[in-house]
Amino acid sequence: MSACTIVEGVLDGYNGTIFAYGQTGSGKTFTMEGPDIYDNETRGIIPRMMGGLFEGLINASETCEFSLKVCYLEIYLERIQDLLNPGKQNLVIKEDRTKGIFIKDATEVFVGSPEEML
């Protein structure tokens, strides 16, 4: 599944996740962020997806209402760390009938532009 498919699903109202997995030094951060997140040629998956999300929101029907929030997490040595609030470490995966699967106490931030997401 490509990142474009994830963006389309989010615009249809589903949660979207991109998961980068690999050994230390294998290029996960390079792939996700790219060497320059502001350069259209070299930016990675995250900045490209953010641009795609907001392009889709701009082109959506005026009868649709969207709210978009993000969280950034790192899983290392089977521990989940909140990258928006580094003091929150060893977070726990939970499941709820209403919320579905989620990370308890993860920081979620509402955003209104691609720049706010970066």
Side-chain angles (χ1 to χ4, degrees):
M1 180 178 291
S2 74
C4 292
T5 307
I6 303 284
V7 170
E8 290 169 5
V10 168
L11 292 170
D12 287 337
Y14 297 97
N15 289 329
T17 300
I18 296 289
F19 191 82
Y21 178 80
Q23 293 178 308
T24 299
S26 64
K28 298 177 298 296
T29 301
F30 183 86
T31 299
M32 297 303 283
E33 295 176 3
D36 184 351
I37 60 175
Y38 299 105
D39 180 0
N40 286 336
E41 295 294 315
T42 62
R43 62 188 180 156
I45 292 172
I46 293 172
R48 290 174 191 272
M49 286 183 68
M50 302 313 147
L53 276 172
F54 280 94
E55 184 177 315
L57 296 176
I58 289 167
N59 295 326
S61 167
E62 291 184 17
T63 61
C64 292
E65 185 175 320
F66 294 90
S67 64
L68 186 60
K69 59 184 174 178
V70 297
C71 66
Y72 293 98
L73 305 168
E74 174 184 65
I75 303 172
Y76 183 70
L77 296 175
E78 298 184 21
R79 292 183 175 208
I80 303 171
Q81 180 175 339
D82 188 329
L83 297 177
L84 294 176
N85 185 348
K88 293 183 178 180
Q89 298 182 6
N90 209 18
L91 300 175
V92 180
I93 300 171
K94 295 285 189 177
E95 186 170 7
D96 179 85
R97 287 184 181 203
T98 305
K99 292 175 74 171
I101 298 171
F102 66 101
I103 309 296
K104 185 178 181 198
D105 298 325
T107 303
E108 295 180 328
V109 178
F110 284 96
V111 292
S113 72
E115 293 76 26
E116 288 181 20
M117 298 176 98
L118 304 173

